[in-house]
Amino acid sequence: MTDEKKTDQKKHDEQLAQLGKTLRSAIPPLGEAQPQRDLWPRMLLRMEGAPKISVRWSPLQWIAGVPWFDWALLSAAGVAMLFFPALIPALLYHL
Amino acid sequence: MDLLQRFAAGDLQAFEPLFRQHQREVYGWVLRIVRDPAAAEDLAVETFWRLYQKRERLDPNGNCAAWLRRVATNLAIDHLRRMQPTEFLVAEPAAEERGDCVVQQETRAAIRGAVNELSPKLRSVVQLVLIEEQPQASVAEGLGISLSAVKLRIFRATRILRRKLAERGVRP
């Protein structure tokens, strides 16, 4: 590293340290903060309250799980085929 | 066989000691980013819930603390994104602020305002590196990015902060 680069780096580090000092004067560091209580009971609640995975397939759940833009794309394709039937062979070709 | 190896192998009894071993560290890390004890508790629990859910895909020889820190950081940044900028740091006066004159209080409020306006990604780096003085390498590990990416974020954040502070009449 050249002397010029070293000087620039030193200046940058000093500016950073000064900015950090300014920020810390308004936002005090929290340091080694610890939880006020044991979090394990909350972890147990989280584990008990988690939704169980349904093993039964439901069409309504499946429909609800499809993103809205897929429906929009399907609708656009349907409208296009209705108004421009000549597109159907082109679409089938690309499928 | 250590706790992570046991847990990854399907021993659910290992989860509680694993949780107790890391809960303080995860909570402390998240709190440094979100600066809200209640949210930090929620996010710490959510982090461990992700660990529990992904137990079958865990690398038994991996670094559990680093994995937890990375997940916790992502959750904390998502939390900051969901919050309104005005909700963050506003009600957090410094302990010594009570005796301050009006000018000092205004300066501190201006600084907090400038930090508030940073994007969550830049804000988290500023808080961890410049305020909490965490080593840049551990911040890089926590964010799941390279050290040079952390340096770049610091560079961008400081440039924005200087401009915002200057607009508010504060000279760092």
Side-chain angles (χ1 to χ4, degrees), chain B residues 7-60:
Chain B
F7 184 57
D11 179 2
L12 298 184
Q13 299 298 318
F15 184 57
E16 184 178 352
L18 199 61
F19 179 90
R20 292 193 185 283
Q21 190 178 7
H22 294 285
Q23 67 168 332
R24 284 183 182 179
E25 192 192 340
V26 171
Y27 170 84
W29 182 261
V30 174
L31 185 65
R32 289 185 194 115
I33 301 173
V34 299
R35 298 186 75 90
D36 174 354
E41 284 187 6
D42 286 345
L43 294 168
V45 167
E46 188 60 31
T47 302
F48 282 99
W49 174 238
R50 302 279 170 103
L51 178 75
Y52 186 82
Q53 284 178 308
K54 292 186 193 289
R55 61 189 179 275
E56 284 165 9
R57 280 174 280 166
L58 286 174
D59 174 9

Short mmCIF file of all heavy atoms in Angstrom, two decimals, chain B residues 7-60:
data_model
loop_
_atom_site.label_atom_id
_atom_site.label_comp_id
_atom_site.label_asym_id
_atom_site.label_seq_id
_atom_site.Cartn_x
_atom_site.Cartn_y
_atom_site.Cartn_z
N PHE B 7 -29.34 -33.25 17.41
CA PHE B 7 -30.61 -32.67 16.94
C PHE B 7 -30.83 -32.96 15.46
O PHE B 7 -31.93 -33.34 15.04
CB PHE B 7 -30.59 -31.16 17.21
CG PHE B 7 -31.86 -30.46 16.86
CD1 PHE B 7 -33.06 -30.86 17.43
CD2 PHE B 7 -31.87 -29.40 15.98
CE1 PHE B 7 -34.26 -30.22 17.10
CE2 PHE B 7 -33.05 -28.75 15.65
CZ PHE B 7 -34.24 -29.16 16.21
N ALA B 8 -29.77 -32.78 14.68
CA ALA B 8 -29.88 -33.04 13.24
C ALA B 8 -30.15 -34.51 12.95
O ALA B 8 -30.77 -34.85 11.94
CB ALA B 8 -28.61 -32.58 12.53
N ALA B 9 -29.70 -35.39 13.88
CA ALA B 9 -29.93 -36.83 13.70
C ALA B 9 -31.33 -37.24 14.14
O ALA B 9 -31.69 -38.42 14.06
CB ALA B 9 -28.88 -37.61 14.49
N GLY B 10 -32.12 -36.25 14.64
CA GLY B 10 -33.50 -36.54 14.99
C GLY B 10 -33.77 -36.64 16.48
O GLY B 10 -34.90 -36.97 16.88
N ASP B 11 -32.76 -36.35 17.30
CA ASP B 11 -32.96 -36.39 18.76
C ASP B 11 -33.59 -35.06 19.20
O ASP B 11 -32.88 -34.07 19.41
CB ASP B 11 -31.61 -36.62 19.45
CG ASP B 11 -31.74 -36.65 20.96
OD1 ASP B 11 -32.87 -36.52 21.47
OD2 ASP B 11 -30.69 -36.77 21.64
N LEU B 12 -34.91 -35.04 19.35
CA LEU B 12 -35.60 -33.79 19.70
C LEU B 12 -35.30 -33.34 21.13
O LEU B 12 -35.50 -32.17 21.47
CB LEU B 12 -37.11 -33.95 19.51
CG LEU B 12 -37.55 -34.24 18.07
CD1 LEU B 12 -39.07 -34.29 17.98
CD2 LEU B 12 -37.01 -33.21 17.09
N GLN B 13 -34.80 -34.27 21.95
CA GLN B 13 -34.43 -33.90 23.33
C GLN B 13 -33.26 -32.92 23.33
O GLN B 13 -33.04 -32.22 24.31
CB GLN B 13 -34.04 -35.15 24.14
CG GLN B 13 -35.14 -36.18 24.29
CD GLN B 13 -36.35 -35.64 25.03
OE1 GLN B 13 -36.21 -34.94 26.02
NE2 GLN B 13 -37.54 -35.93 24.54
N ALA B 14 -32.54 -32.88 22.23
CA ALA B 14 -31.36 -32.00 22.17
C ALA B 14 -31.76 -30.55 21.87
O ALA B 14 -30.93 -29.65 21.98
CB ALA B 14 -30.39 -32.49 21.09
N PHE B 15 -33.03 -30.35 21.50
CA PHE B 15 -33.43 -28.99 21.10
C PHE B 15 -33.41 -28.02 22.27
O PHE B 15 -32.94 -26.89 22.15
CB PHE B 15 -34.82 -29.03 20.45
CG PHE B 15 -35.26 -27.69 19.92
CD1 PHE B 15 -34.48 -26.99 19.00
CD2 PHE B 15 -36.44 -27.11 20.36
CE1 PHE B 15 -34.88 -25.75 18.51
CE2 PHE B 15 -36.84 -25.87 19.88
CZ PHE B 15 -36.06 -25.19 18.96
N GLU B 16 -33.93 -28.45 23.43
CA GLU B 16 -33.98 -27.53 24.57
C GLU B 16 -32.59 -27.07 25.01
O GLU B 16 -32.35 -25.86 25.14
CB GLU B 16 -34.76 -28.15 25.74
CG GLU B 16 -34.89 -27.15 26.89
CD GLU B 16 -35.68 -27.68 28.07
OE1 GLU B 16 -36.29 -28.77 27.98
OE2 GLU B 16 -35.68 -26.99 29.11
N PRO B 17 -31.64 -28.01 25.23
CA PRO B 17 -30.29 -27.52 25.59
C PRO B 17 -29.66 -26.65 24.50
O PRO B 17 -28.95 -25.68 24.80
CB PRO B 17 -29.48 -28.79 25.82
CG PRO B 17 -30.32 -29.92 25.42
CD PRO B 17 -31.73 -29.47 25.35
N LEU B 18 -29.97 -26.97 23.24
CA LEU B 18 -29.45 -26.16 22.12
C LEU B 18 -30.03 -24.74 22.19
O LEU B 18 -29.32 -23.74 22.02
CB LEU B 18 -29.84 -26.83 20.81
CG LEU B 18 -29.09 -26.46 19.54
CD1 LEU B 18 -27.62 -26.79 19.66
CD2 LEU B 18 -29.69 -27.20 18.35
N PHE B 19 -31.32 -24.68 22.48
CA PHE B 19 -32.01 -23.39 22.61
C PHE B 19 -31.40 -22.58 23.77
O PHE B 19 -31.07 -21.41 23.62
CB PHE B 19 -33.50 -23.67 22.89
CG PHE B 19 -34.34 -22.44 23.07
CD1 PHE B 19 -34.95 -21.83 21.99
CD2 PHE B 19 -34.50 -21.86 24.33
CE1 PHE B 19 -35.72 -20.69 22.15
CE2 PHE B 19 -35.26 -20.73 24.50
CZ PHE B 19 -35.87 -20.13 23.41
N ARG B 20 -31.24 -23.26 24.90
CA ARG B 20 -30.71 -22.55 26.08
C ARG B 20 -29.26 -22.10 25.86
O ARG B 20 -28.84 -21.08 26.38
CB ARG B 20 -30.81 -23.44 27.31
CG ARG B 20 -32.25 -23.69 27.72
CD ARG B 20 -32.36 -24.29 29.11
NE ARG B 20 -33.75 -24.63 29.42
CZ ARG B 20 -34.67 -23.76 29.78
NH1 ARG B 20 -34.35 -22.48 29.88
NH2 ARG B 20 -35.90 -24.13 30.05
N GLN B 21 -28.54 -22.87 25.08
CA GLN B 21 -27.14 -22.54 24.82
C GLN B 21 -27.02 -21.25 23.99
O GLN B 21 -26.10 -20.48 24.17
CB GLN B 21 -26.50 -23.71 24.06
CG GLN B 21 -25.01 -23.59 23.93
CD GLN B 21 -24.42 -24.81 23.22
OE1 GLN B 21 -25.13 -25.69 22.71
NE2 GLN B 21 -23.13 -24.88 23.18
N HIS B 22 -27.98 -21.05 23.08
CA HIS B 22 -27.83 -19.94 22.14
C HIS B 22 -28.84 -18.80 22.32
O HIS B 22 -28.72 -17.79 21.64
CB HIS B 22 -27.96 -20.46 20.70
CG HIS B 22 -26.86 -21.38 20.29
ND1 HIS B 22 -25.60 -20.94 19.98
CD2 HIS B 22 -26.82 -22.73 20.17
CE1 HIS B 22 -24.83 -21.98 19.67
NE2 HIS B 22 -25.55 -23.07 19.77
N GLN B 23 -29.82 -18.95 23.20
CA GLN B 23 -30.91 -17.95 23.24
C GLN B 23 -30.40 -16.55 23.57
O GLN B 23 -30.85 -15.57 22.97
CB GLN B 23 -32.03 -18.36 24.19
CG GLN B 23 -31.68 -18.40 25.65
CD GLN B 23 -32.93 -18.53 26.55
OE1 GLN B 23 -34.01 -18.10 26.19
NE2 GLN B 23 -32.75 -19.14 27.71
N ARG B 24 -29.48 -16.43 24.51
CA ARG B 24 -28.99 -15.10 24.89
C ARG B 24 -28.29 -14.41 23.71
O ARG B 24 -28.50 -13.24 23.46
CB ARG B 24 -27.99 -15.21 26.05
CG ARG B 24 -28.66 -15.46 27.35
CD ARG B 24 -27.64 -15.48 28.45
NE ARG B 24 -28.29 -15.77 29.72
CZ ARG B 24 -27.65 -15.88 30.86
NH1 ARG B 24 -26.34 -15.73 30.91
NH2 ARG B 24 -28.30 -16.14 31.96
N GLU B 25 -27.47 -15.18 23.04
CA GLU B 25 -26.70 -14.62 21.93
C GLU B 25 -27.63 -14.16 20.80
O GLU B 25 -27.48 -13.06 20.26
CB GLU B 25 -25.74 -15.70 21.41
CG GLU B 25 -24.70 -15.18 20.46
CD GLU B 25 -23.98 -16.32 19.77
OE1 GLU B 25 -24.02 -17.45 20.28
OE2 GLU B 25 -23.43 -16.07 18.71
N VAL B 26 -28.62 -15.01 20.49
CA VAL B 26 -29.55 -14.67 19.40
C VAL B 26 -30.38 -13.45 19.80
O VAL B 26 -30.54 -12.51 19.01
CB VAL B 26 -30.47 -15.88 19.07
CG1 VAL B 26 -31.57 -15.49 18.11
CG2 VAL B 26 -29.65 -17.02 18.48
N TYR B 27 -30.88 -13.46 21.03
CA TYR B 27 -31.69 -12.32 21.50
C TYR B 27 -30.87 -11.03 21.44
O TYR B 27 -31.33 -10.00 20.94
CB TYR B 27 -32.18 -12.59 22.92
CG TYR B 27 -32.82 -11.38 23.56
CD1 TYR B 27 -34.17 -11.09 23.34
CD2 TYR B 27 -32.08 -10.53 24.37
CE1 TYR B 27 -34.75 -9.97 23.90
CE2 TYR B 27 -32.66 -9.41 24.95
CZ TYR B 27 -33.99 -9.13 24.71
OH TYR B 27 -34.56 -8.01 25.27
N GLY B 28 -29.65 -11.08 21.96
CA GLY B 28 -28.79 -9.89 22.00
C GLY B 28 -28.51 -9.36 20.60
O GLY B 28 -28.55 -8.15 20.36
N TRP B 29 -28.27 -10.28 19.67
CA TRP B 29 -27.97 -9.88 18.29
C TRP B 29 -29.18 -9.20 17.65
O TRP B 29 -29.06 -8.15 17.03
CB TRP B 29 -27.56 -11.12 17.49
CG TRP B 29 -27.19 -10.85 16.08
CD1 TRP B 29 -27.97 -11.01 14.98
CD2 TRP B 29 -25.93 -10.35 15.61
NE1 TRP B 29 -27.28 -10.64 13.85
CE2 TRP B 29 -26.03 -10.24 14.21
CE3 TRP B 29 -24.74 -9.98 16.24
CZ2 TRP B 29 -24.99 -9.77 13.42
CZ3 TRP B 29 -23.70 -9.52 15.44
CH2 TRP B 29 -23.82 -9.42 14.06
N VAL B 30 -30.35 -9.82 17.83
CA VAL B 30 -31.57 -9.26 17.23
C VAL B 30 -31.89 -7.90 17.86
O VAL B 30 -32.27 -6.95 17.17
CB VAL B 30 -32.75 -10.24 17.41
CG1 VAL B 30 -34.05 -9.61 16.94
CG2 VAL B 30 -32.52 -11.51 16.64
N LEU B 31 -31.72 -7.82 19.18
CA LEU B 31 -32.03 -6.56 19.87
C LEU B 31 -31.17 -5.42 19.34
O LEU B 31 -31.63 -4.28 19.22
CB LEU B 31 -31.83 -6.73 21.38
CG LEU B 31 -32.25 -5.52 22.22
CD1 LEU B 31 -33.75 -5.26 22.12
CD2 LEU B 31 -31.85 -5.69 23.68
N ARG B 32 -29.92 -5.71 19.02
CA ARG B 32 -29.03 -4.67 18.50
C ARG B 32 -29.55 -4.14 17.16
O ARG B 32 -29.27 -3.02 16.79
CB ARG B 32 -27.61 -5.21 18.33
CG ARG B 32 -26.92 -5.45 19.64
CD ARG B 32 -25.47 -5.86 19.40
NE ARG B 32 -24.91 -6.39 20.61
CZ ARG B 32 -24.51 -7.65 20.76
NH1 ARG B 32 -24.60 -8.50 19.76
NH2 ARG B 32 -24.02 -8.05 21.89
N ILE B 33 -30.29 -4.96 16.44
CA ILE B 33 -30.82 -4.52 15.13
C ILE B 33 -32.18 -3.84 15.29
O ILE B 33 -32.40 -2.76 14.77
CB ILE B 33 -30.92 -5.70 14.14
CG1 ILE B 33 -29.55 -6.34 13.94
CG2 ILE B 33 -31.48 -5.24 12.79
CD1 ILE B 33 -29.56 -7.61 13.11
N VAL B 34 -33.09 -4.47 16.05
CA VAL B 34 -34.45 -3.91 16.10
C VAL B 34 -34.63 -2.92 17.26
O VAL B 34 -35.55 -2.10 17.22
CB VAL B 34 -35.54 -5.02 16.18
CG1 VAL B 34 -35.48 -5.90 14.95
CG2 VAL B 34 -35.42 -5.85 17.43
N ARG B 35 -33.78 -3.02 18.28
CA ARG B 35 -33.81 -2.11 19.43
C ARG B 35 -35.19 -2.04 20.10
O ARG B 35 -35.64 -0.97 20.52
CB ARG B 35 -33.32 -0.72 19.03
CG ARG B 35 -31.88 -0.71 18.55
CD ARG B 35 -31.37 0.66 18.29
NE ARG B 35 -31.08 1.36 19.54
CZ ARG B 35 -29.90 1.33 20.15
NH1 ARG B 35 -28.91 0.61 19.67
NH2 ARG B 35 -29.71 2.00 21.26
N ASP B 36 -35.85 -3.18 20.14
CA ASP B 36 -37.16 -3.27 20.79
C ASP B 36 -37.19 -4.63 21.51
O ASP B 36 -37.25 -5.67 20.84
CB ASP B 36 -38.25 -3.18 19.70
CG ASP B 36 -39.65 -3.42 20.25
OD1 ASP B 36 -39.78 -3.77 21.44
OD2 ASP B 36 -40.62 -3.26 19.49
N PRO B 37 -37.13 -4.63 22.85
CA PRO B 37 -37.02 -5.91 23.58
C PRO B 37 -38.14 -6.89 23.27
O PRO B 37 -37.89 -8.09 23.12
CB PRO B 37 -37.05 -5.48 25.05
CG PRO B 37 -36.57 -4.07 25.05
CD PRO B 37 -37.05 -3.47 23.76
N ALA B 38 -39.38 -6.40 23.14
CA ALA B 38 -40.50 -7.32 22.88
C ALA B 38 -40.36 -7.95 21.49
O ALA B 38 -40.54 -9.17 21.34
CB ALA B 38 -41.82 -6.56 22.98
N ALA B 39 -40.03 -7.12 20.51
CA ALA B 39 -39.85 -7.66 19.15
C ALA B 39 -38.66 -8.60 19.10
O ALA B 39 -38.69 -9.63 18.41
CB ALA B 39 -39.66 -6.51 18.16
N ALA B 40 -37.60 -8.27 19.85
CA ALA B 40 -36.40 -9.12 19.86
C ALA B 40 -36.73 -10.50 20.42
O ALA B 40 -36.23 -11.52 19.93
CB ALA B 40 -35.29 -8.46 20.66
N GLU B 41 -37.58 -10.54 21.44
CA GLU B 41 -37.99 -11.85 22.01
C GLU B 41 -38.74 -12.66 20.96
O GLU B 41 -38.47 -13.84 20.76
CB GLU B 41 -38.86 -11.63 23.24
CG GLU B 41 -38.08 -11.22 24.47
CD GLU B 41 -38.93 -11.18 25.73
OE1 GLU B 41 -40.12 -11.57 25.69
OE2 GLU B 41 -38.40 -10.74 26.75
N ASP B 42 -39.70 -11.99 20.31
CA ASP B 42 -40.49 -12.69 19.27
C ASP B 42 -39.59 -13.23 18.17
O ASP B 42 -39.74 -14.37 17.73
CB ASP B 42 -41.50 -11.72 18.63
CG ASP B 42 -42.66 -11.42 19.54
OD1 ASP B 42 -42.84 -12.15 20.52
OD2 ASP B 42 -43.37 -10.43 19.28
N LEU B 43 -38.68 -12.39 17.73
CA LEU B 43 -37.82 -12.77 16.60
C LEU B 43 -36.83 -13.86 16.99
O LEU B 43 -36.50 -14.72 16.18
CB LEU B 43 -37.09 -11.54 16.05
CG LEU B 43 -38.01 -10.48 15.40
CD1 LEU B 43 -37.26 -9.19 15.15
CD2 LEU B 43 -38.59 -11.00 14.10
N ALA B 44 -36.36 -13.82 18.25
CA ALA B 44 -35.45 -14.87 18.72
C ALA B 44 -36.18 -16.22 18.72
O ALA B 44 -35.64 -17.24 18.25
CB ALA B 44 -34.93 -14.53 20.11
N VAL B 45 -37.41 -16.21 19.23
CA VAL B 45 -38.20 -17.46 19.26
C VAL B 45 -38.46 -17.94 17.83
O VAL B 45 -38.35 -19.14 17.53
CB VAL B 45 -39.52 -17.24 20.04
CG1 VAL B 45 -40.49 -18.39 19.83
CG2 VAL B 45 -39.23 -17.07 21.53
N GLU B 46 -38.78 -17.00 16.94
CA GLU B 46 -39.04 -17.36 15.53
C GLU B 46 -37.79 -17.97 14.89
O GLU B 46 -37.88 -18.90 14.09
CB GLU B 46 -39.51 -16.11 14.77
CG GLU B 46 -40.00 -16.37 13.37
CD GLU B 46 -41.20 -17.32 13.29
OE1 GLU B 46 -42.01 -17.34 14.23
OE2 GLU B 46 -41.30 -18.05 12.28
N THR B 47 -36.63 -17.44 15.26
CA THR B 47 -35.36 -17.96 14.72
C THR B 47 -35.19 -19.43 15.10
O THR B 47 -34.86 -20.27 14.26
CB THR B 47 -34.18 -17.14 15.27
OG1 THR B 47 -34.37 -15.78 14.92
CG2 THR B 47 -32.85 -17.62 14.72
N PHE B 48 -35.44 -19.72 16.38
CA PHE B 48 -35.30 -21.12 16.84
C PHE B 48 -36.38 -22.01 16.23
O PHE B 48 -36.16 -23.20 16.02
CB PHE B 48 -35.32 -21.19 18.37
CG PHE B 48 -34.02 -20.77 18.97
CD1 PHE B 48 -33.85 -19.49 19.47
CD2 PHE B 48 -32.94 -21.63 19.01
CE1 PHE B 48 -32.65 -19.09 20.00
CE2 PHE B 48 -31.73 -21.25 19.54
CZ PHE B 48 -31.58 -19.97 20.04
N TRP B 49 -37.55 -21.44 15.97
CA TRP B 49 -38.62 -22.21 15.33
C TRP B 49 -38.18 -22.64 13.93
O TRP B 49 -38.44 -23.75 13.49
CB TRP B 49 -39.90 -21.38 15.30
CG TRP B 49 -41.04 -22.00 14.54
CD1 TRP B 49 -41.69 -21.47 13.48
CD2 TRP B 49 -41.66 -23.27 14.79
NE1 TRP B 49 -42.66 -22.32 13.04
CE2 TRP B 49 -42.67 -23.43 13.82
CE3 TRP B 49 -41.44 -24.29 15.71
CZ2 TRP B 49 -43.47 -24.56 13.76
CZ3 TRP B 49 -42.24 -25.43 15.64
CH2 TRP B 49 -43.24 -25.55 14.69
N ARG B 50 -37.49 -21.73 13.23
CA ARG B 50 -36.97 -22.08 11.90
C ARG B 50 -35.94 -23.22 12.01
O ARG B 50 -35.90 -24.10 11.18
CB ARG B 50 -36.29 -20.86 11.24
CG ARG B 50 -37.20 -19.66 11.08
CD ARG B 50 -38.08 -19.81 9.86
NE ARG B 50 -39.10 -18.78 9.85
CZ ARG B 50 -39.06 -17.69 9.08
NH1 ARG B 50 -38.06 -17.52 8.26
NH2 ARG B 50 -40.03 -16.81 9.11
N LEU B 51 -35.11 -23.13 13.07
CA LEU B 51 -34.12 -24.19 13.28
C LEU B 51 -34.82 -25.53 13.49
O LEU B 51 -34.43 -26.55 12.91
CB LEU B 51 -33.26 -23.85 14.51
CG LEU B 51 -32.20 -24.87 14.90
CD1 LEU B 51 -31.02 -24.80 13.94
CD2 LEU B 51 -31.69 -24.63 16.32
N TYR B 52 -35.89 -25.49 14.30
CA TYR B 52 -36.64 -26.71 14.60
C TYR B 52 -37.26 -27.29 13.33
O TYR B 52 -37.21 -28.50 13.09
CB TYR B 52 -37.72 -26.38 15.63
CG TYR B 52 -38.47 -27.58 16.14
CD1 TYR B 52 -37.94 -28.36 17.16
CD2 TYR B 52 -39.70 -27.95 15.60
CE1 TYR B 52 -38.62 -29.47 17.64
CE2 TYR B 52 -40.39 -29.05 16.06
CZ TYR B 52 -39.84 -29.81 17.09
OH TYR B 52 -40.52 -30.90 17.54
N GLN B 53 -37.83 -26.39 12.51
CA GLN B 53 -38.49 -26.85 11.29
C GLN B 53 -37.51 -27.44 10.28
O GLN B 53 -37.84 -28.34 9.54
CB GLN B 53 -39.22 -25.68 10.63
CG GLN B 53 -40.51 -25.30 11.33
CD GLN B 53 -41.15 -24.11 10.64
OE1 GLN B 53 -40.51 -23.09 10.42
NE2 GLN B 53 -42.41 -24.25 10.30
N LYS B 54 -36.30 -26.87 10.26
CA LYS B 54 -35.33 -27.30 9.23
C LYS B 54 -34.35 -28.34 9.77
O LYS B 54 -33.28 -28.53 9.19
CB LYS B 54 -34.57 -26.07 8.72
CG LYS B 54 -35.46 -25.12 7.93
CD LYS B 54 -34.66 -24.02 7.31
CE LYS B 54 -35.51 -22.91 6.80
NZ LYS B 54 -36.30 -23.11 5.67
N ARG B 55 -34.68 -28.99 10.86
CA ARG B 55 -33.72 -29.90 11.51
C ARG B 55 -33.24 -31.02 10.60
O ARG B 55 -32.12 -31.48 10.72
CB ARG B 55 -34.30 -30.45 12.82
CG ARG B 55 -35.56 -31.26 12.65
CD ARG B 55 -36.17 -31.59 14.01
NE ARG B 55 -37.40 -32.34 13.88
CZ ARG B 55 -38.59 -31.81 13.68
NH1 ARG B 55 -38.71 -30.50 13.60
NH2 ARG B 55 -39.67 -32.56 13.59
N GLU B 56 -34.13 -31.44 9.69
CA GLU B 56 -33.74 -32.58 8.84
C GLU B 56 -32.75 -32.17 7.75
O GLU B 56 -32.08 -33.01 7.17
CB GLU B 56 -34.99 -33.20 8.20
CG GLU B 56 -35.76 -34.03 9.21
CD GLU B 56 -37.17 -34.35 8.76
OE1 GLU B 56 -37.50 -34.09 7.60
OE2 GLU B 56 -37.93 -34.87 9.60
N ARG B 57 -32.71 -30.84 7.48
CA ARG B 57 -31.81 -30.37 6.42
C ARG B 57 -30.56 -29.70 6.98
O ARG B 57 -29.80 -29.09 6.26
CB ARG B 57 -32.56 -29.41 5.50
CG ARG B 57 -33.42 -30.15 4.49
CD ARG B 57 -34.27 -29.20 3.70
NE ARG B 57 -35.44 -28.81 4.48
CZ ARG B 57 -36.23 -27.78 4.17
NH1 ARG B 57 -35.96 -27.05 3.13
NH2 ARG B 57 -37.28 -27.50 4.91
N LEU B 58 -30.39 -29.75 8.31
CA LEU B 58 -29.23 -29.08 8.93
C LEU B 58 -27.95 -29.85 8.64
O LEU B 58 -27.97 -31.08 8.55
CB LEU B 58 -29.42 -29.01 10.44
CG LEU B 58 -30.43 -28.01 10.98
CD1 LEU B 58 -30.57 -28.21 12.49
CD2 LEU B 58 -29.98 -26.59 10.69
N ASP B 59 -26.87 -29.09 8.54
CA ASP B 59 -25.56 -29.72 8.42
C ASP B 59 -25.08 -30.01 9.85
O ASP B 59 -24.83 -29.09 10.61
CB ASP B 59 -24.60 -28.76 7.72
CG ASP B 59 -23.18 -29.29 7.68
OD1 ASP B 59 -22.99 -30.46 8.05
OD2 ASP B 59 -22.29 -28.52 7.29
N PRO B 60 -25.00 -31.29 10.22
CA PRO B 60 -24.65 -31.62 11.61
C PRO B 60 -23.27 -31.10 12.02
O PRO B 60 -23.00 -30.91 13.20
CB PRO B 60 -24.71 -33.14 11.67
CG PRO B 60 -24.83 -33.62 10.27
CD PRO B 60 -25.21 -32.49 9.40
#
